[in-house]
Every structure is written in structure tokens, then in C-alpha cells.
Amino acid sequence: MALQKHDFERIYLSPPHMSGNEQGYIAEAFATNWIAPLGPHIDAFEESFAAYTGSKGAAAVSSGTAAIHLALTLLGVGPGDTVVCPSFTFVASANPVLYLGAKPLFIDSEPETWNMSPSALERALQDASARGKLPKAAVIVHLYGGMARMDELMEICERYGVPVVEDAAESLGSTYQGRQSGTFGHYGIFSFNGNKIITTSGGGMLVSDDLDSLKKARFLATQARDAAVHYQHSVMGHNYRMSNVLAGIGRAQLEQIEQRVAARRVVFSRYEDALGGLSGVSFMPELNGTRSNRWLTALALEGEDASALVQDMLFRLEEANIEARPLWKPLHLQPLFSEALFYPHVEGESPVCEELFRTGLCLPSGSAMSVEQQERVIAVLEHVLSSRSGRLITPLHAVPAIPKTSA
Ligand SMILES: *Cc1c(COP(=O)(O)O)cnc(C)c1O
């Protein structure tokens, strides 16, 4: 009988990778009964996080999404405002804009970073300026850990006086000319969701050099309680603080960040070595002078059959019990944002992010992935790609995880 999907151990896209020290910190929280959204682990996690990123301060919160919401709130975003956001990102980059009653203004990607296109941003701000209403803020994302063109993007935003929130949810440990992602904008945000490069199971961080604003963020994140013994409130707050137990996990995870980045980069290199030489296969580029944390290895195919091949790869990988994903579906194509404005990279040409969505995918990239696991993934991809040239790169019997299909 042919091997079935569940005969193979599942390989996940980006599973949590514990160091072993987490339990010690959790035990400490329990032993001291600091099972609350404040406590010594929170303080220590915030301090070590600020030190690692090179920010003046950091505020630990319940999610990356909460951190974006707080940042946009502090920048005064409100009903009727617009906020610039890349189209090619996870929906959480833009949802907080909606929470505040504002509208996202979507910007295309550019081909060399897959991140926000400076020329499209320039046109968007020119038009907004001509309409007499500039966006209240710009959210800039470093997708899959790859750095956006920060020199150009920051220059444009500064010239128009639009403050920047860096969504570095996927890019902890990525650098641009030696400087950490998340430290270029007025605010930077990070995520410790279960699939990110380090995790607290769920959580986020807001960083800034503006310590007064971080103080306000902590205030807003704890129901905005005025300084009174009784419960008094003058503004609307949220329940967004991280718990002290989870901050203990975060401390242990952060201690490993450089090893995690190194491991993800090794995973990326192995994929690139195995597949990068094949014609029509290209990996997400890394801009000169930057280091990507390679959170997820992302590739795109060229050629007429690119979209069909991506579908085939996704199907074959799933059949082999391997989790892979298409690249993010652009937000301007989402039903949720059907009304939003969108600026393509080159006017009149097909948007870069739509092309990437059609022709790309993310591969399993966990920092604990074994060489054997990665070879299983590569074998499936080589098999699919070999159908392209009619040349069998990998003999079928050597593809360990593809059961025969009857269809
Ligand atoms: C994960 C992610 C977020 C949201 O982080 P959560 O902690 O899951 O709320 C925001 N933006 C991007 C680009 C992300 O990948």
C-alpha cells in the first residue's frame, strides 16, 4: 500500500522553539506569586528587549496587534484619518487603523525588497498633500524579516511630516546598516505570537526613544486608571499588558535571539543552495547593507506556469504532511478593504505584490528544523520543479514523502 500523509511526521512552517530556560523563569514567577500583568519579569524583559534593539525603552503588551493599536492611538489617529500601510502584509498591520475609525491607504511593494515601494509612497503622499489631508501615520513592515528601504522611506515620511510606526513583528534581529529593525520609526512594534522567531505563546512589544509616550502606552494598556486610590478614568483604555508569567518565557527566548537568527539563516541557505540554481526560482532578496533574520524562507517562481507550479507545490507539500503557505494575499484585494485606496509601484503596470502573491510561497523555516526534515521538503520541491523541464532531478523513489495518487 502506498504511504499515506500521516505516515510522515508533520513539518510545521514556524513552530515554537524553546531553549529550556523558560521553565526556570516560569517557576520563579510561581514561587514569588507574581502571576499578574506586572512584576519583575516584565521589567527585566522590557529592559533586555530595549537593550537588544537599541531603543531607549520598551513596553510589553499582549500582542503585536495591541502594540500597533497603542502606537497609532498615541499618534492621534482617529475617525476620518488615513494611515499609510503596505498592501503586502498580514492583516494585523492594518486592522488597528480600522479600530480607530481611520482608513488605510495601501502602498505596493517594490521588487528588490518585496516591501513598501518608495516611489508609490511618494505619489501617495503627493496626492494626499494636494488634497490637503496628509495621512496621520505610516506603518512600514519588514516582511518575512527582510528590511524595507528605510533610507528612502524615512526620508519621504520626514519630508511630509508623517510619523512612522515600524511593524517589525516578523523582523526581530534584522538589521539595516547595523541598526535593528523597529528603531527607525517613532514607534516600533514586535510580536511574540507562537509562529514568530521568538515567542511568549502570545505577546508583543512597543519600543520607542520617546519614554513619555511609552509611559502613556503602559497607562492606556492598563485600562487608563488615573492616579487615584479609587478607580477613576478620564480616557478610554485597554487591557493590553503582558502577564509576568509570559514575560518570563520571553526573557529566556530573547537570550537565544542571535542563535535563532543564525539558525534561520542556515535554513535559508540550505534552500538556496538546493534550489537557487534552478532557472525561474528566486528567493526573497536581501538588500545590501542589511541582515534579514530570514524568519520565513520565501521564494517566487518566474514563467507562465509559475502560479500553477506554486499550487502544485502547496498540494504536494501538504500531501507529504509539510506545512507551507502562499505569500500574503495583498490587503487591497481583501474584501475587508475593497474601498481602500491603493498605489502600485509603477503606474499603469501590474502591482508587484499581486505578482508575488500569485507566484510565491513560504517554506518551513523553524530554527529547530533538522537537516533530514529540510531534505524532505527540498525533495518534494525538486520533484515538482523537475516536472517543469521534463528532467527528473530527484528519482521518484528518493522522494520520501509523496504517496502515489490514484487521481
Ligand atoms: C504577526 C504579525 C502581526 C501581529 O502580531 P500578533 O502578536 O499576532 O498580534 C502584525 N504584523 C505582522 C506583519 C505580523 O506578521
Side-chain angles (χ1 to χ4, degrees):
M1 216 181 85
L3 287 168
Q4 296 298 309
K5 172 171 162 178
H6 296 291
D7 295 335
F8 302 100
E9 162 212 25
R10 180 125 177 114
I11 300 176
Y12 291 97
L13 193 69
S14 180
H17 182 181
M18 293 297 115
S19 70
N21 293 336
E22 291 82 2
Q23 295 285 354
Y25 286 112
I26 294 172
E28 202 179 304
F30 275 70
T32 53
N33 208 31
W34 279 108
I35 318 293
L38 79 172
H41 283 334
I42 291 282
D43 298 341
F45 187 34
E46 289 179 345
E47 246 167 66
S48 54
F49 199 89
Y52 175 71
T53 54
S55 310
K56 289 221 176 92
V61 292
S62 54
S63 71
T65 312
I68 300 174
H69 190 188
L70 290 169
L72 295 179
T73 303
L74 290 165
L75 290 173
V77 174
D81 288 331
T82 56
V83 173
V84 162
C85 183
S87 181
F88 196 46
T89 183
F90 180 47
V91 70
S93 304
N95 267 341
V97 177
L98 300 185
Y99 300 168
L100 292 163
K103 286 192 177 128
L105 196 173
F106 291 121
I107 309 292
D108 196 5
S109 301
E110 59 89 36
E112 268 172 83
T113 58
W114 297 12
N115 284 307
M116 190 182 281
S117 155
S119 54
L121 174 67
E122 176 87 52
R123 273 185 282 121
L125 294 188
Q126 237 164 34
D127 285 359
S129 171
R131 284 195 302 269
K133 194 166 165 56
L134 281 165
K136 260 289 170 53
V139 176
I140 296 177
V141 182
H142 309 294
L143 218 58
Y144 308 123
M147 292 294 305
R149 292 187 172 277
M150 292 312 283
D151 279 350
E152 292 92 327
L153 295 171
M154 290 304 295
E155 187 277 320
I156 296 166
C157 288
E158 275 163 20
R159 185 149 38 83
Y160 285 91
V162 177
V164 168
V165 176
E166 256 181 290
D167 178 348
E170 302 179 358
S171 63
L172 178 60
S174 299
T175 61
Y176 184 100
Q177 289 162 13
R179 188 164 154 192
Q180 289 282 332
S181 72
T183 62
F184 290 78
H186 193 92
Y187 296 102
I189 78 92
F190 295 86
S191 166
F192 313 122
N193 193 30
N195 59 349
K196 298 298 185 339
I197 193 161
I198 67 167
T199 182
T200 58
S201 82
M205 194 72 82
L206 179 67
V207 303
S208 183
D209 286 343
D210 176 353
L211 297 180
D212 281 343
S213 289
L214 286 183
K215 224 185 206 167
K216 282 184 205 147
R218 291 191 189 92
F219 166 77
L220 291 174
T222 44
Q223 309 285 22
R225 285 166 59 181
D226 294 341
V229 188
H230 56 275
Y231 282 67
Q232 176 169 304
H233 309 272
S234 313
V235 297
M236 184 185 78
H238 307 280
N239 183 4
Y240 274 172
R241 275 297 246 171
M242 179 182 278
S243 97
N244 190 60
V245 179
L246 299 188
I249 302 176
R251 287 181 73 183
Q253 288 271 290
L254 186 62
E255 289 166 1
Q256 301 293 317
I257 181 63
E258 283 299 314
Q259 287 93 309
R260 297 294 186 257
V261 172
R264 299 235 177 201
R265 289 182 63 86
V266 167
V267 167
F268 175 87
S269 298
R270 280 198 219 113
Y271 281 127
E272 199 183 33
D273 290 347
L275 306 167
L278 303 176
S279 80
V281 178
S282 64
F283 287 83
M284 183 177 186
E286 187 178 49
L287 198 63
N288 271 343
T290 71
R291 172 180 85 160
S292 170
N293 69 4
R294 294 294 186 193
W295 172 56
L296 292 183
T297 291
L299 62 79
L301 301 175
E302 286 140 38
E304 300 260 293
D305 57 349
S307 181
L309 270 178
V310 165
Q311 293 312 309
D312 201 26
M313 281 179 177
L314 290 168
F315 179 80
R316 291 289 179 159
L317 288 167
E318 190 51 47
E319 210 175 35
N321 211 13
I322 296 167
E323 185 186 20
R325 292 278 166 84
L327 301 182
W328 297 124
K329 176 171 179 168
L331 295 182
H332 75 278
L333 299 179
Q334 301 282 358
L336 174 63
F337 297 112
S338 57
E339 310 276 286
L341 272 177
F342 169 72
Y343 282 78
H345 177 55
V346 180
E347 250 173 321
E349 281 185 20
S350 150
V352 172
C353 63
E354 291 185 19
E355 190 65 12
L356 287 168
F357 171 57
R358 245 177 22 84
T359 62
L361 79 166
C362 295
L363 301 175
S365 309
S367 45
M369 185 160 64
S370 69
V371 174
E372 293 71 27
Q373 285 176 322
Q374 199 172 351
E375 279 170 356
R376 262 179 64 199
V377 180
I378 290 169
V380 174
L381 297 173
E382 283 183 336
H383 179 66
V384 174
L385 286 167
S386 70
S387 69
R388 189 176 218 188
S389 53
R391 177 172 54 104
L392 224 51
I393 296 164
T394 311
L396 252 187
H397 64 81
V399 176
I402 300 184
K404 282 200 180 72
T405 46
S406 47

